[in-house]
Amino acid sequence: MASEDIAQLTEALASTHVGEELSYKGQGLKLDNKQSVEKMVREIEEFSGLKALRLEGNTIGVEAAQAIAKALDSKKELERCYWSDMFTGRLRSEIPPSLKSLSSALMTSGAQITELDLSDNAFGPDGVKGIETLLRSPVCYTLRELRLNNCGMGIEGGMILASALSECYQQSRAAGFPLKLKVFVAGRNRLENDGATSLAHAFKSIGSLEMVHMPQNGINYPGITALATAFQHNPNLRVLNLNDNTFTKRGAVAMAQALRDLRNVQVINFGDCLVRSEGAIAIAAALREGLPVLRELNLSFGEISEAAALVVAKAVRDKVELVKLDLNGNGCIFFLCNLQNCSEDEGEPDEDEDECDTSEGDEEEQNCVNGTKDHVNGEGSPSKVYLCSPDLLSFLHSPTSEKLLNLGAKRTHLIEKQVNFSDAAKIAEIFLQISSVYKEDPDVKQVVLETTDTLLRKAFSSLHFQINIFITSLMVNLGLLKGEVKFKKVSVLPGHLIVLEHCVGQDYFPVDQADVLEAFLSRLVNGKVLESCSSARDALRTTLEKRIAA
């Protein structure tokens, strides 16, 4: 081929026309001024019916951006702007004016943008200010996909973005064309809790999201909880990626609650999110109750115990669409082979976890005397148990079989009327207090079993009772699971396990929760946990196995 032919071919390939798209993707062009973009400007102006413009993989200066913007002034048909990675090597101060020029051109043209990708442009919060006006304008009423991955927005940028999206939704709804954003991508942006919470408010209003990717943003449980609430208002969610944020138990429980209401989720990526064992069990409960079309679940590197991971695996075994379950990095390989070697100290609390700060005990006791006791449950939210009966208060403060008997025939009535059955952690505590006074004495045995039956039957039938929190609280107190917060150590007595064995055999006790208990107990049967109550422990395990097999 002659050299002149090669030159012509090279020039023809310099810009690519594919249908309605004009692409300069990945050409590494350094466009500093008006002269450097003359050819590009001409091609944009001459492209009739331009609907997509790809500028990614080049570097565009302020003057060059102004020239390109002028060419876009008349492109009313433009719908898709693929403008990621187009400011490499530019000063941070150059990016906002460039974005403002391009945004102004889109608004002048009256375009209706459906896709906007500005990922991999490290423009920070000032860059968000450069597109803020665009996002609030009618140009974005039709926006379906917004990609801002790896832009370094920070908290401030996240809050500005959230405000712009909220205003866009409100104005578009008033105009009769509400924003229906489907895809939101904003990973690696250091949004943290405040940025995520602000975006959650916007998501809650918009309600049309189908894919959310927000990995590596330094979001802790307050931000995760806010996002979980927002996701409940987006019933069409299909993909949820929050990889490498920090859920802990509280965030995981909140997210699990949201997942119960989401019937269309296909992909969940909570890898490296520190969901921990209690959070994993809560997510497993959501898996059993919903998520019928789930295809992928990633809970890798989450500090999940072997037994909790087994609970998750059992929860997904009936998911016919599931093609991937990732539990790597949790010290468990049960999905590759049978569990044979469980650590003997699994579930035993660390020494520092056995300690309980009692500095506020006097204040707590005073609250009890006044008729209410503030209790902080596993999620960190306050709840109250009403203790108007001095006799019941005395029993719960220092349980004895005599005090329980002295409550008389109305003991079950007192419990039903004075206990907050929405506080699952507190119910677990009361259950252990009652069962601790168990004796083989016929009168004591009958009263203990009747009282715990009443307590749990009422709790499990309550609309807002979170049974997974009850089970995890019970296991933490019994030493089967390491808790996330410090608690008063319970000296496990045979009565605890004997009464629990009775309860799991009753019709009110859910079989799936018996399965959870059995999974933990079976992994620990050869260890030191519950060694002092080995006979009661083995009897409980046998009853659990029978209940599951029934």
Side-chain angles (χ1 to χ4, degrees):
M1 182 179 289
S3 59
E4 58 270 20
D5 295 330
I6 295 175
Q8 290 175 359
L9 178 60
T10 301
E11 183 177 356
L13 292 175
S15 60
T16 305
H17 301 253
V18 181
E20 300 165 334
E21 177 181 294
L22 178 57
S23 176
Y24 299 92
K25 179 179 180 179
Q27 296 182 18
L29 302 175
K30 192 173 188 297
L31 308 172
D32 297 321
N33 49 43
K34 182 178 179 180
Q35 291 73 31
S36 64
V37 293
E38 284 183 348
K39 182 174 179 294
M40 181 184 292
V41 166
R42 183 172 63 253
E43 290 174 343
I44 292 173
E45 290 175 339
E46 293 176 354
F47 197 116
S48 179
L50 178 64
K51 289 194 174 183
L53 177 62
R54 290 189 174 274
L55 298 176
E56 63 263 54
N58 300 290
T59 177
I60 299 174
V62 175
E63 186 178 334
Q66 291 171 343
I68 295 171
K70 187 175 180 180
L72 293 174
D73 279 348
S74 60
K75 298 300 175 180
K76 185 176 183 179
E77 297 89 355
L78 187 63
E79 297 177 353
R80 303 183 299 279
C81 301
Y82 304 112
W83 296 349
S84 64
D85 188 23
M86 65 177 192
F87 296 116
T88 301
R90 298 294 169 182
L91 296 174
R92 179 71 67 86
S93 59
E94 292 183 80
I95 301 176
S98 297
L99 290 172
K100 287 180 179 179
S101 295
L102 294 168
S103 297
S104 179
L106 296 177
M107 290 185 286
T108 299
S109 70
Q112 297 288 291
I113 300 300
T114 59
E115 297 180 41
L116 178 60
D117 186 355
L118 287 166
S119 299
D120 300 316
N121 291 310
F123 48 51
D126 290 339
V128 183
K129 294 175 184 177
I131 61 171
E132 178 183 8
T133 303
L134 172 67
L135 291 174
R136 297 177 189 271
S137 73
V139 172
C140 289
Y141 288 0
T142 51
L143 193 62
R144 297 293 179 266
E145 300 185 16
L146 178 60
R147 302 175 188 272
L148 295 167
N149 200 59
N150 191 31
C151 289
M153 290 188 289
I155 296 172
E156 181 185 0
M159 295 176 74
I160 294 171
L161 175 63
S163 176
L165 289 175
S166 294
E167 185 172 331
C168 181
Y169 174 75
Q170 297 297 338
Q171 292 182 353
S172 62
R173 186 179 66 172
F177 306 99
L179 173 66
K180 294 182 180 179
L181 187 66
K182 293 184 177 180
V183 177
F184 181 84
V185 179
R188 301 183 64 187
N189 272 291
R190 305 192 309 275
L191 295 171
E192 300 183 18
N193 289 329
D194 289 343
T197 300
S198 296
L199 285 166
H201 291 316
F203 295 163
K204 185 176 180 179
S205 298
I206 293 169
S208 57
L209 290 169
E210 296 181 10
M211 298 175 63
V212 175
H213 294 266
M214 296 176 66
Q216 294 183 316
N217 271 297
I219 308 171
N220 298 325
Y221 80 87
I224 296 298
T225 300
L227 288 170
T229 300
F231 293 155
Q232 289 178 288
H233 295 266
N234 288 264
N236 295 320
L237 266 175
R238 294 184 295 107
V239 178
L240 193 51
N241 177 9
L242 295 174
N243 186 282
D244 200 9
N245 290 290
T246 306
F247 283 40
T248 66
K249 172 199 168 184
R250 286 173 284 189
V253 168
M255 193 60 69
Q257 186 63 37
L259 291 174
R260 283 184 169 89
D261 300 325
L262 299 174
R263 307 291 296 176
N264 298 304
V265 173
Q266 298 176 11
V267 177
I268 296 173
N269 187 346
F270 296 160
D272 204 16
C273 283
L274 206 66
V275 299
R276 293 189 172 144
S277 297
E278 293 171 279
I281 292 171
I283 292 172
L287 289 166
R288 286 191 296 270
E289 296 173 16
L291 300 168
V293 296
L294 186 67
R295 294 179 57 80
E296 297 182 18
L297 174 62
N298 183 351
L299 294 178
S300 60
F301 298 93
E303 291 192 4
I304 301 170
S305 71
E306 186 175 311
L310 180 59
V311 172
V312 173
K314 287 184 175 181
V316 300
R317 61 189 170 191
D318 295 326
K319 302 295 181 187
V320 295
E321 301 290 335
L322 191 73
V323 296
K324 180 180 180 182
L325 172 61
D326 189 348
L327 290 166
N328 287 309
N330 290 301
C332 51
I333 55 172
F334 64 88
F335 49 88
L336 298 177
C337 62
N338 291 329
L339 281 172
Q340 297 294 336
N341 300 311
C342 179
S343 173
E344 289 193 355
D345 65 351
E346 180 67 51
E348 294 183 22
D350 296 333
E351 290 184 4
D352 61 348
E353 289 179 337
D354 293 344
E355 299 172 1
C356 181
D357 183 0
T358 58
S359 61
E360 297 181 0
D362 293 340
E363 180 180 350
E364 180 177 310
E365 185 172 348
Q366 184 63 40
N367 286 337
C368 292
V369 172
N370 290 335
T372 65
K373 176 180 177 182
D374 288 334
H375 171 72
V376 179
N377 63 24
E379 296 176 292
S381 58
S383 57
K384 290 185 177 180
V385 177
Y386 294 93
L387 303 175
C388 301
S389 166
D391 291 335
L392 180 57
L393 172 59
S394 177
F395 170 77
L396 294 176
H397 185 265
S398 54
T400 66
S401 57
E402 291 76 13
K403 290 180 181 179
L404 184 62
L405 290 172
N406 288 339
L407 289 175
K410 293 185 177 180
R411 68 181 65 87
T412 56
H413 177 75
L414 284 174
I415 291 174
E416 284 187 330
K417 294 299 182 183
Q418 298 181 31
V419 172
N420 179 3
F421 283 92
S422 66
D423 187 347
K426 188 63 181 179
I427 296 299
E429 180 184 334
I430 294 173
F431 171 82
L432 291 171
Q433 288 173 309
I434 297 171
S435 58
S436 70
V437 305
Y438 176 88
K439 295 179 181 179
E440 287 299 328
D441 175 270
D443 291 337
V444 176
K445 179 178 180 179
Q446 180 180 353
V447 168
V448 169
L449 296 183
E450 286 180 354
T451 307
T452 51
D453 279 341
T454 298
L455 178 72
L456 296 192
R457 192 183 301 276
K458 175 73 173 181
F460 291 174
S461 64
S462 297
L463 181 61
H464 300 293
F465 187 75
Q466 294 180 291
I467 191 168
N468 58 290
I469 293 179
F470 169 82
I471 294 295
T472 54
S473 297
L474 201 61
M475 290 192 293
V476 167
N477 279 282
L478 292 175
L480 301 179
L481 181 65
K482 290 182 179 179
E484 189 170 285
V485 296
K486 293 182 180 180
F487 62 96
K488 289 183 179 180
K489 184 177 180 180
V490 173
S491 297
V492 181
L493 302 172
H496 289 132
L497 305 185
I498 293 170
V499 176
L500 183 57
E501 179 198 355
H502 164 80
C503 293
V504 298
Q506 305 306 306
D507 58 359
Y508 61 74
F509 202 99
V511 175
D512 61 340
Q513 298 304 321
D515 199 11
V516 172
L517 280 173
E518 194 279 331
F520 275 81
L521 205 59
S522 64
R523 302 271 63 78
L524 304 171
V525 70
N526 296 320
K528 298 178 182 178
V529 177
L530 307 181
E531 189 175 33
S532 63
C533 309
S534 58
S535 296
R537 178 196 65 191
D538 295 342
L540 171 59
R541 186 185 177 195
T542 300
T543 300
L544 286 167
E545 291 173 346
K546 289 179 178 178
R547 182 70 199 280
I548 295 167

